[in-house]
Amino acid sequence: MNKSSLSVPLDSSPLPLDDSSDRVSPVILWHKKTRMAAVESKRAKLWGGRFVGSTDPVMEAFNASISYDKKMWKEDIQGSVAYAKALLKANLLTETECNNLITGLEEVEKEWEAGTFSIQPGDEDIHTANERRLKEIVGEVGGKIHTGRSRNDQVAVDMKLWLRGHLVDISSHLVNFIQVLLERAENEKEILMPGYTHLQRAQPIRWSHWLLSHVWPAVHDLERLTGLYLRVNVCPLGSGALAGNPFNIDRQSLAEDLGFEEATENSLQAVSDRDFVVEYLFWASLLSSHLSRLAEDLILYSTSEFGFVKLHDAYATGSSLMPQKKNPDSLELVRGKAGTLTGNLCGFMMVMKGLPSTYNKDLQEDKLKLFETAEVLAGVLQVMAGTVQTLKVNADACRRALSEEMLSTDVAYYLVKKGMPFRSAHEKAGEVVKLSESLHCSFSSLPLSELVKISPLFTEDISSVWNFEHSVEQYQADGGTALKSVNNQITRARKFLTNFSLA
Ligand code: ARG
């Protein structure tokens, strides 16, 4: 492509660069301003040395990541402070120079904290912006901070530091969500409801057992987070642009200084690695998919047709047209966000697939996905915890939804316990279902005289089977819906939470 069609030909500009004249048309003024900004930004570029002319303004905006990577201002400064100390240790800075740099960096940090940091044209990304400001504050010596460092290892370390902090925050939201489920499971053990397969009534279960069925995936998500954290917690700083660090930087102590467990093994890999982002995006997608399934259950249970739960007004909305409506928007959004997050995962996998070795600018896309996912996930977890904590469960409606044909399996188990092989017992129980349908009679009202015609093993004690508590209490084996197992699950999940720690 013809370069001049894209770039602003600064050096051959026939236009005066001062805009004091009021005879100049607004269009020309606009051109002048754009050029002046371009001149400014060329002056400020970290890589300006070999370039002639300036970057096309559209390209400038296209290339910049400052609007979103400024989120990592703190981590960028943290990395630079540690790097200054490493440079001192390697005798590349004097004690005074190092102190000047650190004081300057602290100054920059204060500006971000106070909201007074002013982003300038040419501040392509957070690394460029912080270094530009550092040099303004400390002067020439500011140029030493980047000795042997590249934005390639810098951005990788910034992201890992940022993600590490986020994982700690998100884990506490996840722990809180699990605690909310456990609290309900503990307090509402007596409530029985239908368990479903294929959304058809299947067998009676405890409401707590259903709640716990959503606890365990979340517990596994926490377990997975521990593994992910370990892989995030490896320091890439000191890898340079790609080939490594030529200044004898002590990478192990640099890693330690930044709270990392260890330093990365290979500089080429370290600057190109975004597996930790992919893994986080997958982790977030899976967790949000778990939450979307809980949301879906609750959306169904909150319909008038089920009526098992009623959402608190704080987590529902109304209709602008139908005054009677109370919509489960919180849950629908949780369900929808699972799609958005999985889209981020797939989108970023597509960015990564087939990239050549080491750093390529494609990698800059990582932050858009990472930050969006992190923000959405924090919202999802908090909204879900609040929705579950505040909803009301209608124990009577749950009980009313239990119908006696849900005890058909129990009839088969009754016969099995009297010695009949399960296959024949299943057959006989089927005949009991048929009998109840043909007599238009519920199970518990079937005369024993009719039942014994199906099998002589039926005796008076069949009446104990017509009882939903009795039904759920059969499932005593670990993992079942009997009280004992529900209690065990609560104890085990609580123990997991007590022992859980990321760092
Ligand atoms: N803003 C860049 C990113 O996020 C920083 C690294 C730039 N490195 C480079 N060689 N252009 O990926």
Side-chain angles (χ1 to χ4, degrees), residues 288-307:
S288 73
S289 147
H290 292 147
L291 296 174
S292 79
R293 296 184 69 174
L294 169 59
E296 172 62 11
D297 274 0
L298 287 172
I299 289 167
L300 273 176
Y301 295 169
S302 70
T303 58
S304 309
E305 284 71 12
F306 279 80

Side-chain angles (χ1 to χ4, degrees), residues 350-469:
M350 287 297 102
V351 171
M352 293 303 291
K353 172 204 143 319
L355 281 186
S357 274
T358 90
Y359 184 83
N360 298 271
K361 199 59 172 269
D362 318 43
L363 294 176
Q364 184 164 281
E365 294 294 304
D366 57 1
K367 281 164 284 293
L368 290 166
K369 305 297 179 197
L370 175 64
F371 296 152
E372 188 196 19
T373 291
E375 194 176 320
V376 167
L377 190 63
V380 161
L381 277 168
Q382 290 171 83
V383 165
M384 204 57 187
T387 309
V388 174
Q389 187 166 36
T390 54
L391 62 78
K392 288 240 167 337
V393 53
N394 184 338
D396 291 337
C398 292
R399 170 61 73 132
R400 277 196 303 276
L402 292 170
S403 43
E404 285 189 354
E405 80 278 0
M406 294 180 72
L407 299 171
S408 305
T409 321
D410 303 56
V411 173
Y413 290 161
Y414 168 90
L415 294 172
V416 165
K417 281 178 199 150
K418 295 207 167 185
M420 190 180 284
F422 178 73
R423 279 289 148 233
S424 325
H426 185 279
E427 184 84 22
K428 296 290 174 195
E431 286 176 40
V432 173
V433 176
K434 208 190 303 162
L435 177 69
S436 114
E437 278 173 6
S438 63
L439 296 180
H440 301 290
C441 182
S442 68
F443 280 12
S444 58
S445 319
L446 288 172
L448 185 58
S449 52
E450 289 298 321
L451 288 175
V452 291
K453 286 185 201 156
I454 294 173
S455 165
L457 293 177
F458 283 116
T459 59
E460 284 295 341
D461 60 359
I462 185 65
S463 62
S464 68
V465 171
W466 315 136
N467 177 309
F468 296 114
E469 268 77 18

Side-chain angles (χ1 to χ4, degrees), residues 183-219:
E183 176 104 357
R184 286 211 89 117
E186 173 79 60
N187 294 335
E188 293 166 341
K189 283 184 245 177
E190 305 312 321
I191 300 175
L192 304 188
M193 66 184 278
Y196 299 85
T197 64
H198 312 268
L199 273 185
Q200 307 295 317
R201 285 180 185 170
Q203 291 175 332
I205 56 169
R206 287 186 192 280
W207 155 257
S208 291
H209 192 51
W210 170 80
L211 285 167
L212 287 159
S213 76
H214 291 282
V215 162
W216 291 109
V219 164

Side-chain angles (χ1 to χ4, degrees), residues 65 69 125 127 151-152 155 359 361 364 367:
S65 53
D69 67 15
D125 53 27
H127 328 295
R151 281 183 297 158
N152 298 354
V155 70
Y359 184 83
K361 199 59 172 269
Q364 184 164 281
K367 281 164 284 293

